Amino acid sequence: MTDLSNVKALAWDVGGTIFDWHHTIKGEVSAIAKAQGVELDAAAFTNMWRFTMFTRLQLVRRGDLPWLNADQLHRRVLDEVMDAHPQLTLDPSERDELNQVWHRMDCWPGSAECLEALRSRYRVTVLTVMSWAIAVDCSKHNGISWDGILSCEFLGHYKPEPEAYQASARLLGLDISEVMMCAAHKGDLQAAARAGMPTAYVPVVGERGEGNDPDLSPDPSFTVNATDFADLSRQLLA
Amino acid sequence: MTDLSNVKALAWDVGGTIFDWHHTIKGEVSAIAKAQGVELDAAAFTNMWRFTMFTRLQLVRRGDLPWLNADQLHRRVLDEVMDAHPQLTLDPSERDELNQVWHRMDCWPGSAECLEALRSRYRVTVLTVMSWAIAVDCSKHNGISWDGILSCEFLGHYKPEPEAYQASARLLGLDISEVMMCAAHKGDLQAAARAGMPTAYVPVVGERGEGNDPDLSPDPSFTVNATDFADLSRQLLA
């Protein structure tokens, strides 16, 4: 049995791990296309928006773009995604409005219950590259409460830089070995482990839409591998 | 009737407004003095600790001290307070331990219920000069959940500098006129108003101990003046 007695707080990824960006955004984009009477691959539109945003975030990390938060990056990238889908027509204010869809992402089934249960034993916090407002608004949209929400937007470093994980522990007044990173993304957890954090992996099926799952198998290098949210609660509360 | 339709979020002060530093710390200091069999004015010890901390914070604001968070300031000031009370004996690790009392402050009666009620309509957040860990830990100690907790320790400016209030609204993705500052301290509210925020005043009787209350009368310059936490809920949810 894994010894979790040293773990006092959890730092959760939320974009993709707790909040279902793909289906929420695909649904909204599909509805707009339908209203305009145009054919559109809304899943491809959505994934292009998400993944291009991360390529831009990489430029911010490297200092090749000025410091921007996720809302600013989403908005810039939306213009590129719209250029690639010329059948859809949105003026700048309609694009600003669509950009707010990131603030209303639905959560994955079972995630809210898991987080609430974990709060009985741990300080359950967020460590996200999304903006603080996205995390606050999506949590409220789903009725989820945290013990605290940290966004890389004000930590001066974006995950997976080690400084982001270190800041999360420092601000909690804890040693980094006492804060467990929880995520559905192996790269995030691997970076957290390199920074000194214990790690918990929870696979999320369908994050990028149906049939686009990466390797969701357990990784023995993580402290905990769960099969789903309910299993994660059980393991962390054992 | 005050028009609150533009208010989307509340930014709460917590040290003194929600969390009762005086009685919590006085109780712990009294217990230590009793265990050591020494006479001590625990109320005076407590108030010296609190108010000297704020004089040091002023030096951080002015740049005359390096950037320190509330835990670091409390710990430094504790040495000064101990020097002024030589009858008490605590070694450095015992002082570190006592410094943690700020993470277990009890909340004022009625405050938790008020905050929970207000979450039905507003994004209810914290904007504090206390460390993020103090706000997280005291909230957990009292079973209080927020929609988000911001500490000046990572905003680069301490209240009452206008930048601290502005950061609170910017991080929420809101105009500053949409975020109402809620506090028991008139100076905090006056500074928030100068920065462009609507304001709500809730008097807290006995914050500095019995018989040490400043002027607790309503101030017509504030957007809302409440008589207590229950009255504040009623006015903000009307």
Side-chain angles (χ1 to χ4, degrees):
Chain A
M1 183 103 123
T2 309
D3 179 14
L4 298 169
S5 58
N6 194 44
V7 177
K8 297 190 172 129
L10 309 179
W12 275 87
D13 175 61
V14 288
T17 296
I18 299 296
F19 301 125
D20 173 7
W21 53 269
H22 182 87
H23 297 95
T24 305
I25 291 161
K26 180 184 158 192
E28 189 128 338
V29 170
S30 294
I32 295 171
K34 194 175 170 190
Q36 295 190 7
V38 298
E39 289 288 322
L40 185 83
D41 183 342
F45 184 108
T46 299
N47 287 352
M48 183 185 174
W49 198 359
R50 168 83 172 176
F51 297 117
T52 306
M53 184 277 199
F54 273 86
T55 64
R56 294 300 171 281
L57 191 61
Q58 185 63 18
L59 299 181
V60 174
R61 271 191 213 112
R62 291 210 312 245
D64 295 337
L65 265 181
W67 189 264
L68 297 166
N69 76 2
D71 290 303
Q72 294 166 315
L73 288 164
H74 284 146
R75 181 62 185 84
R76 285 186 175 210
V77 170
L78 178 56
D79 286 337
E80 294 181 51
V81 179
M82 291 294 298
D83 287 345
H85 295 84
Q87 69 272 47
L88 210 62
T89 318
L90 294 175
D91 69 26
S93 74
E94 289 167 330
R95 293 178 188 203
D96 290 346
E97 203 179 305
L98 177 56
N99 204 50
Q100 288 296 111
V101 67
W102 294 94
H103 293 246
R104 318 184 269 279
M105 290 186 276
D106 296 325
C107 67
W108 290 105
S111 60
E113 296 79 358
C114 170
L115 296 169
E116 191 52 34
L118 293 172
R119 291 184 73 203
S120 66
R121 173 149 156 199
Y122 303 96
R123 276 161 270 184
V124 179
T125 69
V126 172
L127 178 63
T128 182
V129 298
M130 295 291 103
S131 67
W132 193 68
I134 287 177
V136 168
D137 291 350
C138 288
S139 298
K140 198 145 183 84
H141 173 68
N142 289 284
I144 292 173
S145 295
W146 303 90
D147 291 309
I149 297 172
L150 291 177
S151 165
C152 293
E153 98 175 281
F154 52 63
L155 299 180
H157 296 273
Y158 276 112
K159 293 190 296 180
E161 291 176 32
E163 291 87 349
Y165 304 100
Q166 289 156 359
S168 162
R170 187 183 67 246
L171 288 167
L172 280 162
L174 295 175
D175 188 82
I176 197 158
S177 66
E178 297 173 315
V179 183
M180 176 175 261
M181 187 72 211
C182 303
H185 307 125
K186 292 179 177 177
D188 195 357
L189 295 175
Q190 284 152 357
R194 283 193 296 274
M197 279 180 163
T199 50
Y201 174 64
V202 57
V204 166
V205 177
E207 185 195 334
R208 305 163 178 209
E210 288 56 45
N212 286 321
D213 286 326
D215 173 17
L216 299 177
S217 60
D219 180 331
S221 77
F222 300 142
T223 314
V224 168
N225 280 281
T227 54
D228 57 22
F229 286 106
D231 180 47
L232 185 66
S233 299
R234 275 191 299 271
Q235 291 196 49
L236 294 189
L237 296 174
Chain B
M1 182 103 122
T2 310
D3 180 13
L4 298 170
S5 58
N6 195 43
V7 176
K8 298 191 172 129
L10 310 178
W12 276 87
D13 175 60
V14 289
T17 296
I18 300 297
F19 301 125
D20 174 6
W21 53 269
H22 182 87
H23 297 95
T24 305
I25 290 161
K26 180 184 157 191
E28 189 128 336
V29 170
S30 295
I32 295 171
K34 195 176 169 191
Q36 296 191 3
V38 298
E39 289 287 322
L40 185 84
D41 183 342
F45 183 109
T46 299
N47 288 351
M48 181 184 176
W49 197 1
R50 168 83 173 176
F51 296 118
T52 307
M53 184 277 199
F54 272 86
T55 64
R56 294 300 171 282
L57 191 61
Q58 185 64 16
L59 300 181
V60 174
R61 271 191 212 110
R62 291 209 314 244
D64 294 337
L65 266 182
W67 189 264
L68 296 166
N69 77 1
D71 290 303
Q72 294 166 316
L73 289 164
H74 283 145
R75 183 61 186 84
R76 283 185 178 212
V77 170
L78 178 56
D79 286 338
E80 296 180 49
V81 179
M82 291 294 298
D83 287 345
H85 295 82
Q87 68 272 46
L88 211 62
T89 319
L90 294 175
D91 68 26
S93 74
E94 289 167 330
R95 294 178 189 202
D96 291 345
E97 202 179 306
L98 177 56
N99 204 49
Q100 288 296 110
V101 67
W102 294 94
H103 293 246
R104 317 184 270 279
M105 291 187 276
D106 296 325
C107 67
W108 290 105
S111 60
E113 297 79 357
C114 170
L115 296 169
E116 192 51 36
L118 293 172
R119 291 184 73 202
S120 66
R121 173 149 156 200
Y122 303 96
R123 277 161 270 185
V124 179
T125 68
V126 172
L127 178 62
T128 182
V129 299
M130 296 291 103
S131 67
W132 193 68
I134 287 177
V136 168
D137 291 348
C138 288
S139 299
K140 198 145 184 82
H141 173 68
N142 290 282
I144 292 172
S145 295
W146 304 89
D147 291 309
I149 297 172
L150 291 177
S151 166
C152 293
E153 93 174 287
F154 52 63
L155 299 180
H157 296 273
Y158 275 111
K159 291 190 298 180
E161 289 175 34
E163 291 88 347
Y165 304 100
Q166 289 156 359
S168 162
R170 186 184 68 247
L171 288 167
L172 280 162
L174 296 174
D175 188 82
I176 196 158
S177 66
E178 298 174 315
V179 184
M180 176 174 263
M181 187 72 211
C182 303
H185 307 125
K186 292 179 178 178
D188 195 357
L189 295 175
Q190 285 152 356
R194 283 194 297 274
M197 278 180 163
T199 50
Y201 174 63
V202 57
V204 165
V205 177
E207 185 195 335
R208 304 163 179 211
E210 289 56 45
N212 286 321
D213 286 327
D215 173 16
L216 298 178
S217 60
D219 180 331
S221 78
F222 301 141
T223 315
V224 167
N225 280 280
T227 54
D228 57 21
F229 286 106
D231 180 47
L232 185 67
S233 299
R234 275 191 299 271
Q235 291 196 50
L236 294 190
L237 296 174

